[in-house]
Amino acid sequence: MNPTPPPHPVVEHLDRGPLTKHEMAARVARDIPHGSYVNLGIGQPTLVADHLPDGAGVVLHTENGMLNMGPAAQEGEIDPDLTNAGKIPVTELPGAAYFHHADSFAMMRGGHLDICVLGAFQVSAAGDLANWHTGAPDAIPAVGGAMDLAIGAKRVFVMMSLFTRDGAPKLVPECTYPLTGLRCVDRVYTDFATFQVGSGGATVLETFGISFADLAERLDGPLSRR
Amino acid sequence: MNPTPPPHPVVEHLDRGPLTKHEMAARVARDIPHGSYVNLGIGQPTLVADHLPDGAGVVLHTENGMLNMGPAAQEGEIDPDLTNAGKIPVTELPGAAYFHHADSFAMMRGGHLDICVLGAFQVSAAGDLANWHTGAPDAIPAVGGAMDLAIGAKRVFVMMSLFTRDGAPKLVPECTYPLTGLRCVDRVYTDFATFQVGSGGATVLETFGISFADLAERLDGPLSRR
Amino acid sequence: MSVRVCADPDEAMAGIEDGSTVLVGGFGMAGMPVELIDALIRQGATELTVVSNNAGNGDTGLAALLDKGRVRRIVCSFPRQSDSWVFDRLYREGRIELEVVPQGTLAERLRAAGAGIGAFYSPTGAGTPLAEGKETREIAGRTHVLEYPIKGDVALIGAHRADRMGNLVYRRTARNFGPVMATAATTVVAQVHEIVDIGALDPEAVVTPSIYVDRVVRAVSAA
Amino acid sequence: MSVRVCADPDEAMAGIEDGSTVLVGGFGMAGMPVELIDALIRQGATELTVVSNNAGNGDTGLAALLDKGRVRRIVCSFPRQSDSWVFDRLYREGRIELEVVPQGTLAERLRAAGAGIGAFYSPTGAGTPLAEGKETREIAGRTHVLEYPIKGDVALIGAHRADRMGNLVYRRTARNFGPVMATAATTVVAQVHEIVDIGALDPEAVVTPSIYVDRVVRAVSAA
């Protein structure tokens, strides 16, 4: 047995502030291998598409029944029969395929998507995801495809701001909001840091505009450094 | 409540012999309503297609993935990519549709076919079917789609000779051969008689070349007359 | 049995009874059978259970059916939308029951009804509030939730073209729930943009075979 | 991940290991990936479990694979045919294990593997010898049998056309098990008659989307 190689140190980007939404999207895009089949969740994750370079060969899935979805439709291109899961008019790329809802979710549940990028209210260090319900007693529950996406893809990336507007961490020891899926998240991309989560707990891969030490102080629970 | 109407007497066709195979097929065809979706099992049931009148509007299903199958292919029409469940080259009628095996059997199991016509080794008075295995210890088991067809169609018709070559009845109080399906058969069309089977037991609807009394004598178990 | 080509959407609503379970296709407006829903409102059936991905948008279509008080219960994945004010009001007033089902589980439960599957184990939702009270089983080291079929008395779906036998093709993402719901209801009604002759559809490209379709009607608003 | 367009069937067999479960498409000869099976014979993997509707015909293709002693176990619906003498001999000599599965259950168990369904209850086979030892449950007054997924390490299927992304269309009843097996294996290899440019297939008529396909190869014998 070779000895375990020494861990790469966590990369601290201290010469800059936290990432903007577009920088977060670009950061996620960098981690999507050539030729991947990817579902980008409603909201912020949609921005990732703008940062995939031409020739990345990434094929986008939309759970309402399409592979090789193109960018949002521009004026004159709008077709009410062609939308993404957020009901935004989109376009079709060459090599597209359409299928019905049971087939589309079979594709997700069956683990055929390489990566799914989702937003979140909370992610736990173990990879539990809460992104469908704030738990407010008067909220009308609405889950859509969130639970199917959470458990289906080979790798689930979460993209979110690390803190709420009130400054509370969204990466938590245990989720307090109702769960979307158990132990399903692999990576968490935030404005302040990128994390690996899972059975080994939360590990910081890099920070932006904050040191590891300061980050660890602002979060609850143990935090490893790579 | 109106009083139950008096039963039609069983029709005894005594001026003729038992039905030939083609006459049995024609007899079955007469009971297939206009516009029915029908699966004809491998072997003798296939003959029924030859006796459906033009304009009967009957749509044939073949479990290897097709609706609106046409007659057997003639020389010059043979396409190795177009066969029925017996692997016989067939043809396609206008309005046909192709689908894969899971969809084809979902159609069957889901109860969408109006009628399925099957051959049988034995049928019980309660409607149990045995048509896949003789029970011989050295026989290689092979079931194909028989069990799916038996339980799926809205009505299951069996078409068979009433007696084995040795003269043993194939309509029996209880099947002795391994079962294909429990309580699944509705009607049994044979050379000597047509029967209704099911929870009410076996009822003779008509006889051919034999009287009800003689028929009852040659069969085991109770037999009603309509 | 043979399909009936109806003269108008009202004819296509014949026989829908109070208390029916009605499957309504569409994802947002794509594939939404708007003219059939309008005809269902005119037809008057009430105490309905509606199964649909959403719970109505704006004031028309499904939202109008809800607004008339015809729907006792709705089964859907995503009722809450920016323009679902009709549903929101009824729900907050306690005048409509809601069953929220994950979207893929909704599709699969409909498929199960159409495919004669008695129940199935799905990993979706395990450990979440939507699995509370449901039977679970560990399979291959993963918790699965037992889910049962959703069968409709009637399905109202939107498709692109029908032939005169009832074969259907769809257009782009308007396909969504249509093909699944078409397998899952006793009476299936399709609103289409065009009705073509038998033989005019490519048999390799038919998505819903005629066996599933009972009534077709050309949308009056069809181009 | 992106599809690999292979130069020949031998390249398409790379990495298939001894002991693999191999799903083999086709119903009779329609959709049978004969050139892939021949290449698998040359490749040499052994101790295989084969899942296919039949157990080989004549002396070629699947029958030849069996005859070489490469198959430890076969899962199929209908092994016994007029020309299945190779299988028949091996079976009677006790040199091959057989699991007989009703054809629709075979298709549905493959679908379940592809669709992430942990198990399902089917009425097919209830009360028959093929359900012996299986868990059952009464659902809606009917006995159902609990059935588990069949997942392959490799699927070898025959299709009609592929585009260079791996989207597949089939031809007539040669479609059969291909689309289902394509969802159910880790590595999916398709033998096709023709490989066309991306964009040449109608997106509405694609039967197997590219996501399921890992390797495609044009059949040498293709017209």
Side-chain angles (χ1 to χ4, degrees):
Chain A
M1 292 279 285
N2 291 321
T4 309
H8 291 271
V10 53
V11 180
E12 296 173 305
H13 298 280
L14 299 175
D15 55 343
R16 56 154 302 151
L19 300 186
T20 65
K21 280 178 189 173
H22 269 283
E23 286 171 335
M24 281 164 59
R27 180 65 194 81
V28 172
R30 251 205 304 142
D31 281 0
I32 297 180
H34 180 91
S36 296
Y37 284 82
V38 176
N39 184 298
L40 300 176
I42 295 174
Q44 279 193 41
T46 307
L47 296 179
V48 172
D50 298 338
H51 297 276
L52 293 166
D54 287 345
V58 169
V59 177
L60 295 182
H61 171 262
T62 182
E63 60 262 39
N64 51 321
M66 181 187 193
L67 274 173
N68 227 4
M69 178 175 65
Q74 303 302 309
E75 215 175 304
E77 291 180 324
I78 289 172
D79 177 346
D81 285 347
L82 181 51
T83 76
N84 66 13
K87 282 121 184 171
I88 310 289
V90 292
T91 53
E92 168 192 304
L93 296 179
Y98 296 102
F99 29 84
H100 62 57
H101 244 83
D103 279 350
S104 185
F105 281 79
M107 192 180 285
M108 291 156 64
R109 199 190 309 105
H112 302 283
L113 290 172
D114 294 302
I115 293 171
C116 170
V117 184
L118 294 171
F121 298 144
Q122 289 179 326
V123 178
S124 81
D128 294 348
L129 172 68
N131 77 345
W132 74 287
H133 200 301
T134 60
D138 66 336
I140 296 176
V143 70
M147 289 184 180
D148 310 273
L149 284 164
I151 59 93
K154 293 192 184 102
R155 296 166 78 198
V156 173
F157 291 175
V158 161
M159 175 179 163
M160 66 178 190
S161 60
L162 185 53
F163 301 100
T164 66
R165 283 181 203 164
D166 302 335
K170 293 161 71 177
L171 181 72
V172 293
E174 293 286 340
C175 294
T176 55
Y177 287 162
L179 289 183
T180 307
L182 276 170
R183 309 225 176 324
C184 55
V185 180
D186 297 284
R187 285 208 172 182
V188 185
Y189 296 85
T190 75
D191 36 5
F192 286 95
T194 307
F195 304 87
Q196 187 81 34
V197 295
S199 54
T203 303
V204 182
L205 306 180
E206 58 189 342
T207 66
F208 303 96
I210 191 169
S211 68
F212 174 82
D214 288 348
L215 182 69
E217 186 135 327
R218 289 191 62 186
L219 296 178
D220 302 328
L223 201 60
S224 314
R225 45 195 299 161
R226 183 168 65 173
Chain B
M1 292 282 285
N2 291 322
T4 309
H8 291 272
V10 54
V11 180
E12 295 173 305
H13 299 280
L14 299 174
D15 55 343
R16 56 155 301 150
L19 300 186
T20 64
K21 280 179 190 175
H22 269 283
E23 286 171 334
M24 280 164 59
R27 180 65 195 82
V28 172
R30 253 206 302 142
D31 280 0
I32 297 179
H34 181 91
S36 296
Y37 285 83
V38 177
N39 184 298
L40 301 176
I42 295 174
Q44 280 194 41
T46 307
L47 296 178
V48 173
D50 298 338
H51 297 277
L52 293 167
D54 286 344
V58 170
V59 177
L60 295 183
H61 171 262
T62 182
E63 60 263 39
N64 51 323
M66 181 186 193
L67 274 172
N68 227 2
M69 177 176 67
Q74 302 303 309
E75 212 174 307
E77 291 181 322
I78 289 172
D79 177 346
D81 285 346
L82 181 51
T83 76
N84 66 13
K87 282 123 185 170
I88 311 290
V90 291
T91 53
E92 168 193 304
L93 295 179
Y98 296 103
F99 30 83
H100 61 59
H101 244 81
D103 280 350
S104 185
F105 281 79
M107 192 179 285
M108 291 156 64
R109 198 191 310 105
H112 302 284
L113 290 172
D114 295 302
I115 292 171
C116 170
V117 185
L118 295 171
F121 298 144
Q122 288 179 327
V123 178
S124 81
D128 295 347
L129 172 67
N131 77 346
W132 75 288
H133 198 301
T134 59
D138 67 336
I140 296 176
V143 71
M147 289 184 180
D148 310 273
L149 284 164
I151 60 94
K154 292 191 184 103
R155 296 167 77 198
V156 173
F157 292 174
V158 160
M159 176 180 163
M160 65 179 191
S161 60
L162 185 54
F163 301 100
T164 66
R165 283 181 203 165
D166 302 336
K170 292 161 71 176
L171 181 72
V172 292
E174 294 285 340
C175 293
T176 54
Y177 286 162
L179 289 183
T180 308
L182 275 170
R183 309 224 175 325
C184 55
V185 179
D186 298 284
R187 285 208 172 184
V188 184
Y189 296 86
T190 74
D191 36 5
F192 286 96
T194 306
F195 304 87
Q196 188 81 33
V197 294
S199 54
T203 302
V204 182
L205 306 180
E206 57 190 343
T207 65
F208 303 95
I210 191 170
S211 67
F212 175 83
D214 288 349
L215 183 69
E217 186 135 328
R218 288 191 61 185
L219 296 177
D220 300 327
L223 201 59
S224 314
R225 46 194 299 163
R226 184 168 66 174
Chain C
M1 286 294 156
S2 301
V3 76
R4 181 157 117 212
V5 177
C6 298
D8 57 47
D10 294 295
E11 181 187 338
M13 294 302 107
I16 300 180
E17 295 181 1
D18 291 353
S20 294
T21 295
V22 183
L23 317 180
V24 179
F27 184 86
M29 291 310 292
M32 180 64 68
V34 174
E35 298 193 16
L36 298 182
I37 298 168
D38 290 347
L40 181 59
I41 293 172
R42 292 192 294 273
Q43 196 260 9
T46 190
E47 290 290 310
L48 302 174
T49 293
V50 165
V51 181
S52 196
N53 189 60
N54 303 110
N57 305 79
D59 293 301
T60 59
L62 196 47
L65 184 72
L66 267 60
D67 197 33
K68 300 263 186 218
R70 304 283 174 75
V71 181
R72 191 179 61 73
R73 181 162 178 270
I74 191 157
V75 180
C76 67
S77 88
F78 209 77
R80 187 190 65 218
Q81 299 189 276
S82 58
D83 58 353
S84 61
W85 50 75
V86 172
F87 168 80
D88 294 5
R89 176 173 48 77
L90 293 169
Y91 181 76
R92 292 193 195 285
E93 292 172 5
R95 289 167 57 201
I96 193 165
E97 289 173 41
L98 170 66
E99 180 181 351
V100 175
V101 180
Q103 199 169 132
T105 303
L106 184 63
E108 190 70 12
R109 289 175 64 189
L110 290 162
R111 180 195 178 269
I117 298 297
F120 60 91
Y121 288 100
S122 169
T124 304
T128 77
L130 294 190
E132 270 168 27
K134 295 194 173 189
E135 200 176 320
T136 62
R137 178 189 288 246
E138 297 292 313
I139 301 171
R142 202 172 185 192
T143 305
H144 287 71
V145 182
L146 184 62
E147 301 283 359
Y148 286 91
I150 298 177
K151 177 140 181 79
D153 298 300
V154 183
L156 308 182
I157 64 173
H160 184 48
R161 284 198 186 94
D163 71 16
R164 292 184 180 280
M165 280 184 71
N167 289 300
L168 302 180
V169 295
Y170 300 80
R171 200 170 159 276
R172 300 187 139 176
T173 58
R175 186 182 300 196
N176 58 70
F177 280 94
V180 190
M181 289 183 170
T183 69
T186 308
T187 301
V188 174
V189 188
Q191 161 188 328
V192 299
H193 296 117
E194 195 182 358
I195 297 174
V196 299
D197 285 337
I198 293 172
L201 298 180
D202 176 3
E204 304 282 5
V206 167
V207 173
T208 295
S210 58
I211 191 170
Y212 293 116
V213 183
D214 299 289
R215 304 172 191 176
V216 298
V217 61
R218 183 169 173 275
V220 180
S221 64
Chain D
M1 287 294 155
S2 302
V3 76
R4 181 156 117 210
V5 177
C6 298
D8 57 45
D10 294 296
E11 181 187 338
M13 294 301 108
I16 300 180
E17 295 181 1
D18 291 354
S20 295
T21 295
V22 183
L23 316 180
V24 179
F27 184 86
M29 291 310 291
M32 180 64 69
V34 175
E35 298 193 16
L36 298 181
I37 299 168
D38 289 347
L40 181 60
I41 292 171
R42 291 191 294 273
Q43 195 260 11
T46 190
E47 289 291 311
L48 302 174
T49 293
V50 164
V51 181
S52 195
N53 189 60
N54 304 110
N57 305 80
D59 294 300
T60 59
L62 196 47
L65 184 72
L66 266 61
D67 197 33
K68 300 263 185 218
R70 306 283 175 76
V71 181
R72 189 178 63 72
R73 181 163 178 271
I74 191 156
V75 180
C76 68
S77 88
F78 208 78
R80 186 191 65 218
Q81 299 189 275
S82 59
D83 58 354
S84 61
W85 50 76
V86 172
F87 168 80
D88 295 3
R89 175 173 48 77
L90 292 169
Y91 181 77
R92 293 192 195 287
E93 291 173 3
R95 289 167 57 203
I96 192 165
E97 288 173 42
L98 170 66
E99 179 182 350
V100 174
V101 180
Q103 199 169 133
T105 302
L106 184 64
E108 190 71 10
R109 289 175 64 189
L110 290 162
R111 181 194 178 268
I117 298 298
F120 61 90
Y121 287 100
S122 169
T124 304
T128 77
L130 294 190
E132 268 169 29
K134 295 194 174 191
E135 200 176 320
T136 61
R137 178 189 289 246
E138 296 293 312
I139 301 172
R142 201 171 186 192
T143 305
H144 288 70
V145 183
L146 185 62
E147 300 283 358
Y148 286 90
I150 299 176
K151 179 144 181 74
D153 297 300
V154 183
L156 307 183
I157 64 173
H160 185 47
R161 285 199 186 93
D163 70 15
R164 293 185 179 280
M165 280 185 69
N167 289 300
L168 301 181
V169 295
Y170 300 80
R171 202 170 157 277
R172 300 187 141 177
T173 58
R175 188 182 300 196
N176 59 69
F177 280 94
V180 190
M181 289 182 170
T183 70
T186 308
T187 300
V188 175
V189 188
Q191 161 187 328
V192 300
H193 296 116
E194 193 182 359
I195 297 175
V196 299
D197 285 338
I198 294 171
L201 298 180
D202 177 3
E204 304 283 5
V206 166
V207 173
T208 295
S210 57
I211 192 170
Y212 293 115
V213 183
D214 298 288
R215 304 173 191 176
V216 298
V217 62
R218 183 168 172 275
V220 180
S221 64

